[in-house]
Amino acid sequence: MSTAPATTREILIATIADLLDGVRTVAVGASSPIPAAGAMLLRARNEQRGRERVRVIVLGSREHNFFTNGSFELFDATAQGRVDAFFLGGGQIDGQANINLVGTGDYPTSTVRWPGSFGSAYMYYLIPLVILFREEHSPRVLVDKVDFVSAPGSSEGIHRTGGPHALLTSLALFDFDKEKKRFRLRSVHRGHTAEDVRAATGFDYDAPANVPSTPEPDAETMALLRGRVTGELSECYPQFVETLVADRAA
Amino acid sequence: MGEIVSIEALAAQIKDGMTVALGADNSGPAMAATAVLLAQRPKNLHIVCVPISGIQADMLIGAGCVGTLETSAVTLGEAGGAPRFADGIRSGAFKMMDATCPAVLAGLVAGQKGVPFMPIRGVIGSDVLKMRPDWKVIDNPFAPDDPIVVVPAIRPDVALFHAREADRFGNVRIGRQAELAAMAYAAKTTLVTVERIVETSLLADERSAAGVLPALYVGAIAEAKQGAWPIGLAGEYTTDTAEVARYAKMARSADGFAAYIKGFAQRFEAVA
């Protein structure tokens, strides 16, 4: 087993596992290898520590998806309150945690068009713990105001049991303050500074006077991540696992 | 009901102006049938992606078959954005109806049940709702202070998908892809391509009969080996990611797309 220090992506995976601590059921959308790895890491670690069992549902996987009712079941189980955590991203995320998965410019003839809103205009309202995850941390992604609201960060006067909990990027981790409807910087990953984060973020946010570093994964976590979790991940994300392993050797 | 026909005869049932429901990449897109459609070129189709699509919708857009696109997303997955879709959006080549996955599914369930609409949670306050004048917000008639979105029933003329197997009697095994059943229930008719046609009734075995769509809903079936290629089919084969990447690259330009689809039907025969 490699004893090389955690790579950037391994820090993200371990951070996701920590953010998910305490959840019973976590779902991961298609094409989300890092969130899937984080969920699998929590499952493996809780098992090793004799803690509560974590159910992981990875859309697009056969091995890590126990649903039998097709595309309906994630949405139905979510509305029934059976899914505790989920991940959303976006081409744009703004300072009020509104997310845009549709495109930039004037709708509908968007100059840059992304795939579409998927289930976000529903899941964001109903999943108690939504982690916003986007590797790219730049002013074009983290904007003051999104061009199109696929799903709003908060709502008034409607049935809403879920919403944003945290925002994780390749530079930093933010918490979302539901009262203030603002992000607050929690920590900055190894190799970056609070100033780097401020310069790369297009929205205003709160921050403590001294911004801590994102914790490095401990030896137990690293062993699980480089062993069991890498194996589990290769069933649905073989290409991602290749790059993950190559990063460790670099 | 469940008549077994050639793939050309199956595809020919999709006519100009029809509303056609398509399954997502994880539930068997009928790509061999799409190759035939690219030759037959029906016009002004209203495509309903259940609830998203990939290369299949992108190709139909590129070939000029799409008048309206109702979907929650079009994506080529790891190969990136769908190029003909993005180009068509920029040029306003078709009417876009952006949705969210559970709203498409709810519309089909309303169609399945023969009721005019279905309520769903979420959506309020999004621009998705703002851009969908056909979706309404009503007051929950059973509780105070609870506005809720209702979406109209979706009743496609045709549902089209690819599955593992059908029997001689027109029954189709769909396994756990329950949205395919909802598509078929809601649609006026369903066209299915399959990897193989078996002689024994799929309803004969009590242990697996629940995963079978009865012939009642099925208009026509055609055999198409590797019929989802280059997309995978659960339990049969995986996605040909190199081929999807090749498409993603070529389809960046209209000329590249035309060159790609020229050989598509033939390559299909070579793969099968």
Side-chain angles (χ1 to χ4, degrees):
Chain A
M1 187 80 51
S2 164
T3 53
T7 66
T8 304
R9 283 182 159 177
E10 287 173 335
I11 291 174
L12 296 178
I13 294 167
T15 303
I16 287 170
D18 290 344
L19 286 169
L20 291 173
D21 192 61
V23 308
R24 296 299 187 102
T25 304
V26 50
V28 184
S31 310
S32 310
I34 291 175
M40 288 169 174
L41 177 59
L42 179 73
R43 176 172 64 185
R45 195 166 63 187
N46 274 19
E47 209 174 292
Q48 186 152 301
R49 292 176 178 175
R51 289 189 52 192
E52 72 273 14
R53 178 181 167 203
V54 177
R55 288 194 178 84
V56 178
I57 301 146
V58 179
L59 298 186
S61 165
R62 286 280 147 178
E63 196 74 29
H64 303 282
N65 183 346
F66 48 77
F67 285 155
T68 57
N69 196 30
S71 305
F72 292 106
E73 201 162 355
L74 173 66
F75 304 113
D76 291 352
T78 293
Q80 293 151 16
R82 295 180 205 272
V83 184
D84 305 316
F86 190 66
F87 301 87
L88 288 171
Q92 292 178 331
I93 299 169
D94 74 22
Q96 289 79 50
N98 300 308
I99 58 175
N100 173 6
L101 288 74
V102 163
T104 64
D106 288 333
Y107 186 87
T109 51
S110 316
T111 31
V112 176
R113 172 72 204 206
W114 299 311
S117 299
F118 293 92
S120 66
Y122 177 92
M123 301 297 275
Y124 210 21
Y125 297 77
L126 297 174
I127 296 275
L129 193 147
V130 174
I131 296 171
L132 297 173
F133 176 70
R134 177 75 205 247
E135 269 190 285
E136 181 180 336
H137 189 136
S138 69
R140 68 170 194 165
V141 172
L142 304 180
V143 297
D144 184 46
K145 197 168 174 5
V146 293
D147 290 4
F148 184 97
V149 179
S150 286
S154 56
S155 309
E156 309 286 339
I158 64 164
H159 175 91
R160 184 161 187 172
T161 53
H165 174 72
L167 165 65
L168 179 66
T169 72
S170 59
L171 292 192
L173 172 64
F174 298 83
D175 292 303
F176 187 69
D177 185 327
K178 286 191 167 71
E179 299 301 314
K180 288 174 148 180
K181 295 175 187 168
R182 274 169 76 83
F183 286 106
R184 180 177 176 82
L185 184 60
R186 190 200 295 191
S187 66
V188 175
H189 311 331
R190 183 196 337 123
H192 304 285
T193 66
E195 289 72 35
D196 295 341
V197 173
R198 187 66 75 178
T201 308
F203 58 71
D204 194 27
Y205 56 87
D206 299 327
N210 291 305
V211 182
S213 279
T214 305
E216 299 280 324
D218 61 20
E220 177 201 19
T221 301
M222 285 301 288
L224 284 169
L225 179 44
R226 290 183 176 178
R228 173 177 162 179
V229 171
T230 301
E232 288 178 345
L233 206 56
S234 59
E235 180 248 345
C236 35
Y237 296 113
Q239 286 168 307
F240 174 78
V241 165
E242 276 175 35
T243 65
L244 195 66
V245 171
D247 283 354
R248 287 170 195 160
Chain B
M1 261 188 287
E3 199 186 343
I4 294 161
V5 300
S6 72
I7 195 163
E8 288 77 17
L10 178 137
Q13 296 191 30
I14 296 177
K15 299 195 163 63
D16 294 359
M18 279 188 168
T19 297
V20 182
L22 303 174
D25 281 358
N26 64 355
S27 59
M31 293 306 297
T34 302
V36 179
L37 286 174
L38 294 177
Q40 296 178 348
R41 302 239 170 171
K43 294 274 171 278
N44 196 29
L45 299 178
H46 177 146
I47 298 294
V48 180
C49 305
V50 183
I52 63 170
S53 186
I55 196 170
Q56 186 179 25
D58 202 63
M59 281 184 174
L60 292 170
I61 291 165
C65 299
V66 179
T68 300
L69 183 69
E70 190 170 351
T71 190
S72 308
V74 183
T75 172
L76 301 184
E78 284 188 292
R84 293 295 93 207
F85 163 67
D87 190 69
I89 286 281
R90 274 190 296 273
S91 64
F94 51 86
K95 182 186 170 197
M96 182 64 197
M97 296 171 76
D98 263 286
T100 186
C101 300
V104 176
L105 298 170
L108 288 171
V109 169
Q112 161 185 341
K113 294 186 184 302
V115 295
F117 59 84
M118 190 63 58
I120 67 159
R121 284 299 182 196
V123 191
I124 296 172
S126 71
D127 287 340
V128 180
L129 177 62
K130 211 174 280 174
M131 299 302 169
R132 289 296 300 259
D134 56 326
W135 294 359
K136 309 286 182 199
V137 179
I138 64 165
D139 289 321
N140 176 351
F142 300 100
D145 306 322
D146 184 20
I148 189 164
V149 170
V150 291
V151 300
I154 299 173
R155 293 294 317 269
D157 294 302
V158 174
L160 172 68
F161 61 86
H162 181 72
R164 295 177 75 170
E165 59 183 1
D167 65 24
R168 283 275 157 219
F169 317 99
N171 304 303
V172 178
R173 189 183 303 287
I174 55 170
R176 42 185 136 185
Q177 297 314 137
E179 68 281 0
L180 297 178
M183 268 164 69
Y185 301 150
K188 289 167 194 154
T189 192
T190 294
L191 308 176
V192 187
T193 58
V194 292
E195 292 292 316
R196 67 192 74 84
I197 293 167
V198 298
E199 298 300 326
T200 318
S201 169
L202 296 175
L203 298 174
D205 187 343
E206 193 56 31
R207 291 168 300 180
S208 55
V212 176
L213 179 71
L216 171 65
Y217 307 98
V218 181
I221 296 168
E223 199 171 59
K225 292 215 172 13
Q226 301 278 316
W229 179 85
I231 306 305
L233 183 65
E236 298 281 337
Y237 44 89
T238 57
T239 296
D240 184 345
T241 50
E243 181 64 20
V244 178
R246 199 173 79 84
Y247 172 81
K249 203 171 162 195
M250 284 186 76
R252 275 184 213 155
S253 72
D255 289 348
F257 172 78
Y260 181 92
I261 63 164
K262 217 168 213 173
F264 187 59
Q266 284 81 348
R267 278 203 313 284
F268 232 99
E269 283 150 25
V271 169

